[in-house]
């Protein structure tokens, strides 16, 4: 094995991922090559520092997370339920209002109530003057007066 | 698997998520925020599709922390000391070295830090790390070696007498 091949195995060697055969070959090269041996030793020293001086111990993690409270969230359908109810209410109101509007448009129109105006009966001018003065122009009253007048003349 | 903090038998997993987050973020509040976010995602997640809860949690924690580190735009020197610092002369030296390691880790890129932390503390394989980060195995190995080289230059010689 040469230095270039050793560099290619360096990560696996330091990470303990070499199989027995390749690890043996790597260690043979390291025993024969001072430059590679020195480099590996320095990197292994750095690794040892990292391992021994973990920046957070399990005990510290327990202390820190003892105050951590994870609130269980409601399922998505429950969180959307309120919004869905709002939408449903708007739809119901809208549909109901639209139904009423549509129903009102199709309702046949009633002819306006207009007072029936009967042709004026022939009456004595005096009776017409009397009714005018009294303010009563009801057609039935005028008709009755006309009949009475005719009956009187007979 | 319930993850809520404070429940018997479940603090270890919550603490694990926090440790993963803190090793990457090196900030107590950021690590707690990240842990909360990851655990909420876990609770909302459909569990049937997850083969390994621990692997899923670690992958989610790594990716979430990488996103947070990117949001910082650049690695910043980390000076925060973890809780429960030891006392005494040797302990003070250990804390000093730990502080130097913390600061040195803060100079790494988010990917270098994620690979190194997963490899050194979680003993993950390069294949698992690459899968978790969505990158190739060779790229993960490159991040690993560059991270180690950077720390080696910053930390200097291995001080065995201190450890």
């Amino acid at each position: 094995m040469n230095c270039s091949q050793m560099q290619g195995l360096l990560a696996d060697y330091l990470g303990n991922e070499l199989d027995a055969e390749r690890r043996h070959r790597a260690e043979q090269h390291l025993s024969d090559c001072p430059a590679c041996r020195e480099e590996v030793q320095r990197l292994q020293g750095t690794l040892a520092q990292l391992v021994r001086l973990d920046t957070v111990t399990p005990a510290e993690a327990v202390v820190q997370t003892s105050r951590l409270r994870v609130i269980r969230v409601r399922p998505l359908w429950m969180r959307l339920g309120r919004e869905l109810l709002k939408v449903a209410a708007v739809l119901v109101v809208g549909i109901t209002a639209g139904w009423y509007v549509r129903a009102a448009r199709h309702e046949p129109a009633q002819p306006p109530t207009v007072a029936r105006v009967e042709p004026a009966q022939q009456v004595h001018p005096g009776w017409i003057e009397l009714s005018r003065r009294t303010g009563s122009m009801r057609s039935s009253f005028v008709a009755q007066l006309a009949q009475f007048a005719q009956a009187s003349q007979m | 698997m319930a993850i809520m903090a404070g429940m018997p038998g479940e603090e270890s997993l919550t603490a694990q998520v926090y440790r993963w987050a803190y090793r990457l973020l090196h900030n107590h509040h950021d690590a707690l925020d990240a842990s909360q976010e990851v655990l909420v995602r876990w609770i909302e997640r459909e569990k049937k599709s997850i083969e390994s809860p621990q692997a899923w949690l670690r992958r989610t924690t790594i990716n979430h922390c990488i996103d947070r580190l990117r949001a910082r735009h650049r690695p910043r020197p980390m000076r925060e000391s973890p809780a429960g610092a030891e006392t005494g002369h040797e302990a003070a030296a250990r804390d000093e070295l730990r502080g130097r390691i913390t600061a040195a880790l803060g100079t790494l890129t988010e990917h270098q830090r994620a690979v190194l932390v997963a490899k050194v503390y979680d003993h993950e394989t390069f294949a698992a790390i690459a899968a978790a980060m969505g990158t190739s195995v060779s790229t993960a190995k490159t991040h690993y070696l560059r991270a180690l080289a950077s720390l080696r230059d910053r930390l200097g010689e291995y001080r065995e007498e201190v450890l």
Side-chain angles (χ1 to χ4, degrees):
Chain A
M1 179 181 293
N2 55 34
C3 294
S4 178
Q5 291 173 325
M6 183 64 213
Q7 288 296 318
L9 296 179
L10 188 57
D12 290 325
Y13 180 79
L14 294 171
N16 296 319
E17 292 196 27
L18 286 180
D19 54 38
E21 179 184 353
R22 290 197 299 171
R23 186 171 189 85
H24 178 69
R25 289 168 50 198
E27 289 177 346
Q28 273 191 326
H29 175 79
L30 291 175
S31 65
D32 297 332
C33 178
C36 289
R37 183 170 62 249
E38 181 182 357
E39 180 185 9
V40 168
Q41 287 177 345
R42 291 187 66 187
L43 293 176
Q44 286 178 327
T46 302
L47 277 172
Q49 287 179 299
L50 291 173
V51 171
R52 293 289 297 276
L53 294 176
D54 191 359
T55 53
V56 56
T57 64
E60 290 165 348
V62 171
V63 170
Q64 296 297 345
T65 55
S66 63
R67 293 184 292 271
L68 182 64
R69 288 292 177 266
V70 178
I71 300 174
R72 188 179 296 275
V73 299
R74 292 177 297 171
L76 183 62
W77 68 270
M78 288 182 67
R79 287 182 279 139
L80 291 178
R82 181 173 298 180
E83 299 302 321
L84 290 176
L85 283 177
K86 292 180 182 177
V87 173
V90 171
L91 287 176
V92 169
V93 171
I95 292 173
T96 303
W99 181 81
Y100 274 110
V101 170
R102 184 179 179 182
R105 286 180 180 177
H106 289 292
E107 185 176 353
Q110 298 286 342
T113 301
V114 179
R116 293 178 59 185
V117 179
E118 296 181 0
Q121 301 291 331
Q122 287 190 339
V123 295
H124 194 277
W127 291 111
I128 295 177
E129 179 65 20
L130 175 63
S131 65
R132 185 182 65 81
R133 288 184 178 181
T134 58
S136 173
M137 294 298 294
R138 293 172 57 186
S139 58
S140 60
F141 176 67
V142 173
Q144 289 174 7
L145 288 176
Q147 291 175 357
F148 180 76
Q150 291 177 356
S152 301
Q153 291 177 357
M154 290 179 172
Chain B
M1 180 188 301
I3 312 292
M4 295 181 67
M7 298 181 65
E10 297 160 346
E11 293 178 353
S12 62
L13 197 56
T14 303
Q16 259 188 335
V17 171
Y18 172 82
R19 290 182 72 194
W20 293 331
Y22 186 87
R23 286 169 182 155
L24 290 171
L25 301 174
H26 281 269
N27 179 280
H28 163 61
H29 295 291
D30 289 349
L32 279 178
D33 287 344
S35 301
Q36 181 111 19
E37 179 66 29
V38 170
L39 295 174
V40 168
R41 292 184 189 179
W42 167 256
I43 291 174
E44 294 178 345
R45 177 79 182 194
E46 178 60 44
K47 307 297 187 298
K48 296 179 181 178
S49 62
I50 299 176
E51 294 184 1
S52 173
Q54 190 171 24
W56 185 93
L57 285 168
R58 180 170 49 244
R59 180 172 61 251
T60 304
T61 303
I62 289 174
N63 290 330
H64 180 74
C65 290
I66 287 176
D67 291 341
R68 294 181 74 103
L69 290 170
R70 284 175 177 168
R72 293 180 185 175
H73 301 299
R74 61 181 175 82
R76 64 186 184 192
M78 297 177 297
R79 306 186 189 284
E80 182 177 292
S81 299
E86 303 176 52
T87 58
H89 179 70
E90 292 183 357
R94 187 190 299 271
D95 287 340
E96 179 185 356
L97 188 55
R98 178 183 286 179
R100 292 176 59 194
I101 290 176
T102 301
L105 285 172
T107 63
L108 301 177
T109 66
E110 56 269 11
H111 287 95
Q112 290 174 353
R113 194 186 312 176
V115 173
L116 186 67
V117 166
K119 191 62 181 167
V120 172
Y121 299 117
D122 299 327
H123 310 290
E124 287 294 330
T125 63
F126 287 116
I129 295 171
M133 296 176 59
T135 185
S136 66
V137 174
S138 60
T139 301
K141 292 180 182 179
T142 300
H143 286 317
Y144 177 71
L145 290 176
R146 288 180 179 174
L148 275 181
S150 177
L151 293 180
R152 175 201 61 196
D153 296 337
R154 294 181 181 275
L155 296 176
E157 294 296 328
Y158 172 51
R159 297 172 57 187
E160 190 173 13
E161 62 276 13
V162 176
L163 302 177

